[in-house]
Amino acid sequence: MNFQRLSAWFLKDSGKKFVFGCAVATSVGIGCVQIFPNTFLLDKYKEIIHLYKNGFTVPVSRSLLERFNKALELLEIDEIHHKQFNPFMTCGFDILSAGTYYSHFGVIIGLPINYTYIDVEHIEKSKIKILDQGVAWETDEGDRLLKSLAVSENAQIYAIAHEIQMRQTPKYFSDLFSSMGLFIGAYSVGNHMNKKYNLYGRSFGLRLCLYGLIGSFALVNYLFIKDATQVYYEKKTDEFLKSKSPVFQEGGKEFYESILNRNKALRSIMGKVGEYHYTLMGNENYGFRQKHLPLVQRRAFFEESHLPLQSV
């Protein structure tokens, strides 16, 4: 009885106004989820993913900071804008970034601890765990993983430059406006169809199916736009870096070689979990999505001076 009364209330003007208000609030919330971690809460996000040792943040070493500044110089970014890019040590073995160049909050670039390894002899093997288990370093897979963690200087400079350049693209705004726009569009289409076909007088189950279809369509379109723009800007960034400096060309080749070797090793070491995440070639498995350009293709692009980078 209570459900029927609630359902009937939603069909009244007051109920429709309430739903409209919820739709507006949800749209704003979707925007805030993407805006805040990249602007107002950027420092808080940095604190969460920062690398800590004995309760204190691990500072960026002088040599690594020099490589970071080298990437800025090769990109020919004005010195007055260098402060827009803030490096810090992050957890894990992957470089990452957040923020946008077009905000006064700037960009944070998370540098992994293995960028401080001079060679394999300096790697603290006992502290590396995979699926909460130690690694059998004496095996072929363990040896391949170990070598992949010692990333060359050129590869590090390329990886840093790639994150810096990506944060200067409109990718952030594309994700923001597409997510908000598609949600508002989904609500508008649902509301229009309810009025046009008088679905308010039909069963709630029918309207629920309609909302599900419209919502699914909007979600698929958002993921498509998000992935397509990611692949597009990755392609443009790699093409720009390769033409910018021989350091980036050599570094890109070495960087993707190390990542592919790492993924191949992890695929074997992690068993079924590794097979789910990585292919035999070392590419990442994304299911029906294409979140990034294939790693094998990106390595080949930097290996061959005449090979164009194709979006897939």
Side-chain angles (χ1 to χ4, degrees):
M1 177 63 73
N2 290 334
F3 176 77
Q4 292 178 346
R5 294 169 69 178
L6 179 64
S7 179
W9 179 76
F10 277 121
L11 297 178
K12 297 180 180 179
D13 289 340
S14 57
K16 293 177 181 178
K17 290 180 180 179
F18 174 78
V19 172
F20 174 75
C22 289
V24 173
T26 302
S27 178
V28 173
I30 290 173
C32 289
V33 166
Q34 299 188 66
I35 293 173
F36 281 16
N38 290 286
T39 52
F40 303 104
L41 299 179
L42 188 61
D43 287 339
K44 295 296 183 182
Y45 177 61
K46 179 181 175 181
E47 290 178 8
I48 295 173
I49 60 178
H50 210 301
L51 180 64
Y52 292 86
K53 185 176 183 180
N54 299 325
F56 297 94
T57 58
V58 176
V60 180
S61 66
R62 179 178 296 180
S63 59
L64 185 51
L65 189 58
E66 289 175 355
R67 290 193 285 276
F68 187 89
N69 290 329
K70 180 66 174 179
L72 290 171
E73 292 172 6
L74 290 174
L75 288 172
E76 297 182 340
I77 294 176
D78 292 339
E79 191 171 346
I80 59 173
H81 295 143
H82 283 194
K83 62 182 180 180
Q84 282 288 91
F85 304 96
N86 304 295
F88 69 102
M89 301 306 297
T90 188
C91 301
F93 294 109
D94 287 308
I95 190 171
L96 54 83
S97 62
T100 174
Y101 174 77
Y102 302 101
S103 164
H104 75 272
F105 294 97
V107 175
I108 56 173
I109 310 290
L111 307 174
I113 189 62
N114 60 310
Y115 281 20
T116 63
Y117 298 157
I118 301 174
D119 52 44
V120 294
E121 300 300 325
H122 290 78
I123 298 176
E124 299 179 284
K125 295 182 285 187
S126 61
K127 294 185 178 181
I128 299 175
K129 304 289 183 181
I130 298 178
L131 300 179
D132 295 325
Q133 300 291 327
V135 180
W137 299 107
E138 67 277 3
T139 63
D140 291 340
E141 293 80 8
D143 183 63
R144 170 179 277 184
L145 177 61
L146 189 66
K147 292 178 179 178
S148 71
L149 295 179
V151 184
S152 69
E153 289 191 10
N154 283 347
Q156 293 179 33
I157 293 173
Y158 160 79
I160 293 169
H162 183 271
E163 293 299 320
I164 292 173
Q165 192 64 24
M166 282 292 291
R167 288 293 162 178
Q168 297 183 76
T169 68
K171 169 65 176 166
Y172 164 76
F173 299 102
S174 173
D175 290 347
L176 174 63
F177 294 133
S178 63
S179 61
M180 295 181 66
L182 283 168
F183 178 83
I184 294 173
Y187 170 80
S188 300
V189 169
N191 188 54
H192 173 74
M193 295 189 72
N194 280 330
K195 292 179 178 180
K196 182 175 182 179
Y197 298 104
N198 193 28
L199 296 180
Y200 290 123
R202 309 291 290 273
S203 67
F204 175 75
L206 178 62
R207 296 198 303 276
L208 189 62
C209 289
L210 174 65
Y211 301 152
L213 289 173
I214 295 174
S216 298
F217 180 78
L219 177 61
V220 169
N221 273 274
Y222 167 69
L223 294 177
F224 173 78
I225 293 173
K226 180 179 176 66
D227 293 348
T229 52
Q230 180 69 28
V231 168
Y232 174 79
Y233 287 120
E234 282 181 347
K235 173 180 178 290
K236 290 297 182 182
T237 297
D238 279 350
E239 290 175 344
F240 170 79
L241 293 177
K242 183 178 178 179
S243 62
K244 191 69 174 176
S245 169
V247 174
F248 293 145
Q249 179 169 353
E250 185 64 24
K253 180 180 65 176
E254 295 174 356
F255 176 75
Y256 291 115
E257 181 66 25
S258 67
I259 295 297
L260 286 166
N261 283 330
R262 186 193 67 180
N263 292 350
K264 290 175 184 178
L266 290 175
R267 187 180 194 274
S268 178
I269 294 171
M270 296 169 66
K272 292 294 184 182
V273 177
E275 293 175 6
Y276 175 79
H277 287 288
Y278 307 109
T279 68
L280 281 170
M281 298 291 292
N283 283 320
E284 296 171 313
N285 276 323
Y286 297 122
F288 73 93
R289 297 178 61 185
Q290 183 63 55
K291 296 182 181 180
H292 300 280
L293 284 167
L295 297 172
V296 171
Q297 182 178 319
R298 298 177 78 172
R299 180 188 60 183
F301 171 68
F302 283 99
E303 286 177 338
E304 302 293 338
S305 60
H306 62 277
L307 186 66
L309 186 59
Q310 301 295 327
S311 298
V312 295

PDB file of all heavy atoms in Angstrom, residues 15-40:
ATOM      1  N   GLY A  15       5.484  15.585  -7.055  1.00  0.00           N
ATOM      2  CA  GLY A  15       6.405  14.473  -7.238  1.00  0.00           C
ATOM      3  C   GLY A  15       7.309  14.684  -8.436  1.00  0.00           C
ATOM      4  O   GLY A  15       8.516  14.375  -8.380  1.00  0.00           O
ATOM      5  N   LYS A  16       6.742  15.209  -9.521  1.00  0.00           N
ATOM      6  CA  LYS A  16       7.534  15.465 -10.723  1.00  0.00           C
ATOM      7  C   LYS A  16       8.589  16.556 -10.464  1.00  0.00           C
ATOM      8  O   LYS A  16       9.722  16.472 -10.956  1.00  0.00           O
ATOM      9  CB  LYS A  16       6.624  15.883 -11.873  1.00  0.00           C
ATOM     10  CG  LYS A  16       5.704  14.764 -12.350  1.00  0.00           C
ATOM     11  CD  LYS A  16       4.766  15.255 -13.437  1.00  0.00           C
ATOM     12  CE  LYS A  16       3.824  14.137 -13.885  1.00  0.00           C
ATOM     13  NZ  LYS A  16       2.861  14.600 -14.904  1.00  0.00           N
ATOM     14  N   LYS A  17       8.207  17.577  -9.667  1.00  0.00           N
ATOM     15  CA  LYS A  17       9.161  18.621  -9.319  1.00  0.00           C
ATOM     16  C   LYS A  17      10.296  18.047  -8.460  1.00  0.00           C
ATOM     17  O   LYS A  17      11.459  18.431  -8.610  1.00  0.00           O
ATOM     18  CB  LYS A  17       8.459  19.746  -8.577  1.00  0.00           C
ATOM     19  CG  LYS A  17       7.509  20.565  -9.451  1.00  0.00           C
ATOM     20  CD  LYS A  17       6.843  21.665  -8.649  1.00  0.00           C
ATOM     21  CE  LYS A  17       5.890  22.477  -9.534  1.00  0.00           C
ATOM     22  NZ  LYS A  17       5.201  23.548  -8.757  1.00  0.00           N
ATOM     23  N   PHE A  18       9.931  17.123  -7.571  1.00  0.00           N
ATOM     24  CA  PHE A  18      10.938  16.485  -6.726  1.00  0.00           C
ATOM     25  C   PHE A  18      11.923  15.684  -7.574  1.00  0.00           C
ATOM     26  O   PHE A  18      13.140  15.749  -7.360  1.00  0.00           O
ATOM     27  CB  PHE A  18      10.263  15.573  -5.700  1.00  0.00           C
ATOM     28  CG  PHE A  18      11.226  14.762  -4.882  1.00  0.00           C
ATOM     29  CD1 PHE A  18      11.905  15.331  -3.829  1.00  0.00           C
ATOM     30  CD2 PHE A  18      11.441  13.422  -5.183  1.00  0.00           C
ATOM     31  CE1 PHE A  18      12.810  14.588  -3.075  1.00  0.00           C
ATOM     32  CE2 PHE A  18      12.340  12.677  -4.432  1.00  0.00           C
ATOM     33  CZ  PHE A  18      13.023  13.265  -3.372  1.00  0.00           C
ATOM     34  N   VAL A  19      11.409  14.932  -8.552  1.00  0.00           N
ATOM     35  CA  VAL A  19      12.269  14.143  -9.437  1.00  0.00           C
ATOM     36  C   VAL A  19      13.176  15.055 -10.256  1.00  0.00           C
ATOM     37  O   VAL A  19      14.363  14.762 -10.446  1.00  0.00           O
ATOM     38  CB  VAL A  19      11.420  13.249 -10.365  1.00  0.00           C
ATOM     39  CG1 VAL A  19      12.292  12.583 -11.417  1.00  0.00           C
ATOM     40  CG2 VAL A  19      10.676  12.204  -9.554  1.00  0.00           C
ATOM     41  N   PHE A  20      12.622  16.170 -10.728  1.00  0.00           N
ATOM     42  CA  PHE A  20      13.429  17.125 -11.483  1.00  0.00           C
ATOM     43  C   PHE A  20      14.557  17.685 -10.616  1.00  0.00           C
ATOM     44  O   PHE A  20      15.706  17.800 -11.062  1.00  0.00           O
ATOM     45  CB  PHE A  20      12.546  18.268 -11.991  1.00  0.00           C
ATOM     46  CG  PHE A  20      13.312  19.375 -12.672  1.00  0.00           C
ATOM     47  CD1 PHE A  20      13.809  19.202 -13.956  1.00  0.00           C
ATOM     48  CD2 PHE A  20      13.561  20.576 -12.005  1.00  0.00           C
ATOM     49  CE1 PHE A  20      14.524  20.215 -14.581  1.00  0.00           C
ATOM     50  CE2 PHE A  20      14.268  21.586 -12.623  1.00  0.00           C
ATOM     51  CZ  PHE A  20      14.753  21.405 -13.916  1.00  0.00           C
ATOM     52  N   GLY A  21      14.237  18.010  -9.371  1.00  0.00           N
ATOM     53  CA  GLY A  21      15.253  18.511  -8.453  1.00  0.00           C
ATOM     54  C   GLY A  21      16.338  17.477  -8.198  1.00  0.00           C
ATOM     55  O   GLY A  21      17.525  17.806  -8.136  1.00  0.00           O
ATOM     56  N   CYS A  22      15.916  16.206  -8.061  1.00  0.00           N
ATOM     57  CA  CYS A  22      16.890  15.131  -7.860  1.00  0.00           C
ATOM     58  C   CYS A  22      17.793  14.974  -9.082  1.00  0.00           C
ATOM     59  O   CYS A  22      19.000  14.712  -8.956  1.00  0.00           O
ATOM     60  CB  CYS A  22      16.177  13.810  -7.568  1.00  0.00           C
ATOM     61  SG  CYS A  22      15.400  13.738  -5.937  1.00  0.00           S
ATOM     62  N   ALA A  23      17.202  15.138 -10.276  1.00  0.00           N
ATOM     63  CA  ALA A  23      17.990  15.020 -11.508  1.00  0.00           C
ATOM     64  C   ALA A  23      19.029  16.129 -11.590  1.00  0.00           C
ATOM     65  O   ALA A  23      20.186  15.890 -11.954  1.00  0.00           O
ATOM     66  CB  ALA A  23      17.066  15.066 -12.718  1.00  0.00           C
ATOM     67  N   VAL A  24      18.625  17.352 -11.238  1.00  0.00           N
ATOM     68  CA  VAL A  24      19.568  18.476 -11.251  1.00  0.00           C
ATOM     69  C   VAL A  24      20.679  18.250 -10.229  1.00  0.00           C
ATOM     70  O   VAL A  24      21.862  18.454 -10.511  1.00  0.00           O
ATOM     71  CB  VAL A  24      18.834  19.796 -10.957  1.00  0.00           C
ATOM     72  CG1 VAL A  24      19.843  20.938 -10.786  1.00  0.00           C
ATOM     73  CG2 VAL A  24      17.855  20.125 -12.072  1.00  0.00           C
ATOM     74  N   ALA A  25      20.289  17.800  -9.017  1.00  0.00           N
ATOM     75  CA  ALA A  25      21.278  17.553  -7.962  1.00  0.00           C
ATOM     76  C   ALA A  25      22.244  16.442  -8.361  1.00  0.00           C
ATOM     77  O   ALA A  25      23.448  16.524  -8.091  1.00  0.00           O
ATOM     78  CB  ALA A  25      20.564  17.190  -6.657  1.00  0.00           C
ATOM     79  N   THR A  26      21.718  15.406  -9.008  1.00  0.00           N
ATOM     80  CA  THR A  26      22.573  14.304  -9.443  1.00  0.00           C
ATOM     81  C   THR A  26      23.550  14.761 -10.512  1.00  0.00           C
ATOM     82  O   THR A  26      24.730  14.385 -10.502  1.00  0.00           O
ATOM     83  CB  THR A  26      21.722  13.149  -9.988  1.00  0.00           C
ATOM     84  OG1 THR A  26      20.818  12.704  -8.978  1.00  0.00           O
ATOM     85  CG2 THR A  26      22.602  11.978 -10.413  1.00  0.00           C
ATOM     86  N   SER A  27      23.071  15.587 -11.437  1.00  0.00           N
ATOM     87  CA  SER A  27      23.950  16.112 -12.488  1.00  0.00           C
ATOM     88  C   SER A  27      25.075  16.943 -11.883  1.00  0.00           C
ATOM     89  O   SER A  27      26.243  16.810 -12.272  1.00  0.00           O
ATOM     90  CB  SER A  27      23.135  16.960 -13.467  1.00  0.00           C
ATOM     91  OG  SER A  27      23.965  17.504 -14.466  1.00  0.00           O
ATOM     92  N   VAL A  28      24.728  17.783 -10.917  1.00  0.00           N
ATOM     93  CA  VAL A  28      25.744  18.594 -10.239  1.00  0.00           C
ATOM     94  C   VAL A  28      26.708  17.687  -9.477  1.00  0.00           C
ATOM     95  O   VAL A  28      27.927  17.904  -9.473  1.00  0.00           O
ATOM     96  CB  VAL A  28      25.077  19.597  -9.277  1.00  0.00           C
ATOM     97  CG1 VAL A  28      26.133  20.315  -8.437  1.00  0.00           C
ATOM     98  CG2 VAL A  28      24.249  20.608 -10.055  1.00  0.00           C
ATOM     99  N   GLY A  29      26.152  16.642  -8.849  1.00  0.00           N
ATOM    100  CA  GLY A  29      26.991  15.707  -8.121  1.00  0.00           C
ATOM    101  C   GLY A  29      27.974  14.986  -9.023  1.00  0.00           C
ATOM    102  O   GLY A  29      29.140  14.782  -8.649  1.00  0.00           O
ATOM    103  N   ILE A  30      27.519  14.605 -10.216  1.00  0.00           N
ATOM    104  CA  ILE A  30      28.414  13.952 -11.184  1.00  0.00           C
ATOM    105  C   ILE A  30      29.560  14.877 -11.548  1.00  0.00           C
ATOM    106  O   ILE A  30      30.722  14.457 -11.643  1.00  0.00           O
ATOM    107  CB  ILE A  30      27.619  13.547 -12.445  1.00  0.00           C
ATOM    108  CG1 ILE A  30      26.655  12.398 -12.123  1.00  0.00           C
ATOM    109  CG2 ILE A  30      28.568  13.135 -13.578  1.00  0.00           C
ATOM    110  CD1 ILE A  30      25.709  12.056 -13.257  1.00  0.00           C
ATOM    111  N   GLY A  31      29.240  16.149 -11.731  1.00  0.00           N
ATOM    112  CA  GLY A  31      30.290  17.115 -12.040  1.00  0.00           C
ATOM    113  C   GLY A  31      31.259  17.289 -10.880  1.00  0.00           C
ATOM    114  O   GLY A  31      32.473  17.331 -11.073  1.00  0.00           O
ATOM    115  N   CYS A  32      30.718  17.349  -9.657  1.00  0.00           N
ATOM    116  CA  CYS A  32      31.565  17.542  -8.477  1.00  0.00           C
ATOM    117  C   CYS A  32      32.514  16.366  -8.270  1.00  0.00           C
ATOM    118  O   CYS A  32      33.665  16.564  -7.836  1.00  0.00           O
ATOM    119  CB  CYS A  32      30.695  17.733  -7.237  1.00  0.00           C
ATOM    120  SG  CYS A  32      29.817  19.321  -7.189  1.00  0.00           S
ATOM    121  N   VAL A  33      32.031  15.160  -8.557  1.00  0.00           N
ATOM    122  CA  VAL A  33      32.883  13.979  -8.397  1.00  0.00           C
ATOM    123  C   VAL A  33      34.122  14.071  -9.271  1.00  0.00           C
ATOM    124  O   VAL A  33      35.195  13.567  -8.906  1.00  0.00           O
ATOM    125  CB  VAL A  33      32.075  12.704  -8.733  1.00  0.00           C
ATOM    126  CG1 VAL A  33      32.987  11.502  -8.913  1.00  0.00           C
ATOM    127  CG2 VAL A  33      31.053  12.422  -7.642  1.00  0.00           C
ATOM    128  N   GLN A  34      34.000  14.723 -10.416  1.00  0.00           N
ATOM    129  CA  GLN A  34      35.146  14.870 -11.315  1.00  0.00           C
ATOM    130  C   GLN A  34      35.918  16.160 -11.076  1.00  0.00           C
ATOM    131  O   GLN A  34      37.143  16.202 -11.274  1.00  0.00           O
ATOM    132  CB  GLN A  34      34.664  14.817 -12.777  1.00  0.00           C
ATOM    133  CG  GLN A  34      34.001  13.501 -13.135  1.00  0.00           C
ATOM    134  CD  GLN A  34      33.712  13.392 -14.617  1.00  0.00           C
ATOM    135  OE1 GLN A  34      34.619  13.344 -15.425  1.00  0.00           O
ATOM    136  NE2 GLN A  34      32.448  13.359 -14.983  1.00  0.00           N
ATOM    137  N   ILE A  35      35.232  17.208 -10.641  1.00  0.00           N
ATOM    138  CA  ILE A  35      35.887  18.502 -10.443  1.00  0.00           C
ATOM    139  C   ILE A  35      36.713  18.526  -9.163  1.00  0.00           C
ATOM    140  O   ILE A  35      37.892  18.904  -9.179  1.00  0.00           O
ATOM    141  CB  ILE A  35      34.844  19.639 -10.423  1.00  0.00           C
ATOM    142  CG1 ILE A  35      34.191  19.790 -11.800  1.00  0.00           C
ATOM    143  CG2 ILE A  35      35.506  20.952 -10.005  1.00  0.00           C
ATOM    144  CD1 ILE A  35      33.042  20.774 -11.821  1.00  0.00           C
ATOM    145  N   PHE A  36      36.129  18.131  -8.048  1.00  0.00           N
ATOM    146  CA  PHE A  36      36.776  18.298  -6.753  1.00  0.00           C
ATOM    147  C   PHE A  36      38.122  17.582  -6.627  1.00  0.00           C
ATOM    148  O   PHE A  36      39.095  18.178  -6.158  1.00  0.00           O
ATOM    149  CB  PHE A  36      35.821  17.864  -5.641  1.00  0.00           C
ATOM    150  CG  PHE A  36      34.781  18.894  -5.305  1.00  0.00           C
ATOM    151  CD1 PHE A  36      34.515  19.942  -6.162  1.00  0.00           C
ATOM    152  CD2 PHE A  36      34.060  18.805  -4.131  1.00  0.00           C
ATOM    153  CE1 PHE A  36      33.558  20.891  -5.883  1.00  0.00           C
ATOM    154  CE2 PHE A  36      33.092  19.754  -3.829  1.00  0.00           C
ATOM    155  CZ  PHE A  36      32.846  20.799  -4.701  1.00  0.00           C
ATOM    156  N   PRO A  37      38.239  16.280  -7.026  1.00  0.00           N
ATOM    157  CA  PRO A  37      39.546  15.617  -6.878  1.00  0.00           C
ATOM    158  C   PRO A  37      40.638  16.232  -7.753  1.00  0.00           C
ATOM    159  O   PRO A  37      41.826  16.031  -7.481  1.00  0.00           O
ATOM    160  CB  PRO A  37      39.248  14.169  -7.323  1.00  0.00           C
ATOM    161  CG  PRO A  37      37.780  14.007  -7.190  1.00  0.00           C
ATOM    162  CD  PRO A  37      37.215  15.351  -7.511  1.00  0.00           C
ATOM    163  N   ASN A  38      40.241  16.968  -8.791  1.00  0.00           N
ATOM    164  CA  ASN A  38      41.213  17.572  -9.700  1.00  0.00           C
ATOM    165  C   ASN A  38      41.439  19.057  -9.437  1.00  0.00           C
ATOM    166  O   ASN A  38      42.264  19.684 -10.120  1.00  0.00           O
ATOM    167  CB  ASN A  38      40.761  17.385 -11.147  1.00  0.00           C
ATOM    168  CG  ASN A  38      40.857  15.946 -11.603  1.00  0.00           C
ATOM    169  OD1 ASN A  38      41.944  15.433 -11.846  1.00  0.00           O
ATOM    170  ND2 ASN A  38      39.718  15.269 -11.719  1.00  0.00           N
ATOM    171  N   THR A  39      40.736  19.606  -8.433  1.00  0.00           N
ATOM    172  CA  THR A  39      40.892  21.036  -8.130  1.00  0.00           C
ATOM    173  C   THR A  39      40.931  21.256  -6.610  1.00  0.00           C
ATOM    174  O   THR A  39      41.990  21.196  -6.007  1.00  0.00           O
ATOM    175  CB  THR A  39      39.743  21.850  -8.760  1.00  0.00           C
ATOM    176  OG1 THR A  39      38.475  21.277  -8.365  1.00  0.00           O
ATOM    177  CG2 THR A  39      39.826  21.842 -10.277  1.00  0.00           C
ATOM    178  N   PHE A  40      39.776  21.477  -6.017  1.00  0.00           N
ATOM    179  CA  PHE A  40      39.700  21.849  -4.606  1.00  0.00           C
ATOM    180  C   PHE A  40      40.259  20.782  -3.665  1.00  0.00           C
ATOM    181  O   PHE A  40      40.830  21.110  -2.625  1.00  0.00           O
ATOM    182  CB  PHE A  40      38.246  22.161  -4.220  1.00  0.00           C
ATOM    183  CG  PHE A  40      37.619  23.253  -5.046  1.00  0.00           C
ATOM    184  CD1 PHE A  40      36.710  22.963  -6.048  1.00  0.00           C
ATOM    185  CD2 PHE A  40      37.956  24.581  -4.820  1.00  0.00           C
ATOM    186  CE1 PHE A  40      36.139  23.966  -6.804  1.00  0.00           C
ATOM    187  CE2 PHE A  40      37.388  25.600  -5.582  1.00  0.00           C
ATOM    188  CZ  PHE A  40      36.481  25.287  -6.569  1.00  0.00           C
TER     189      PHE A  40
END
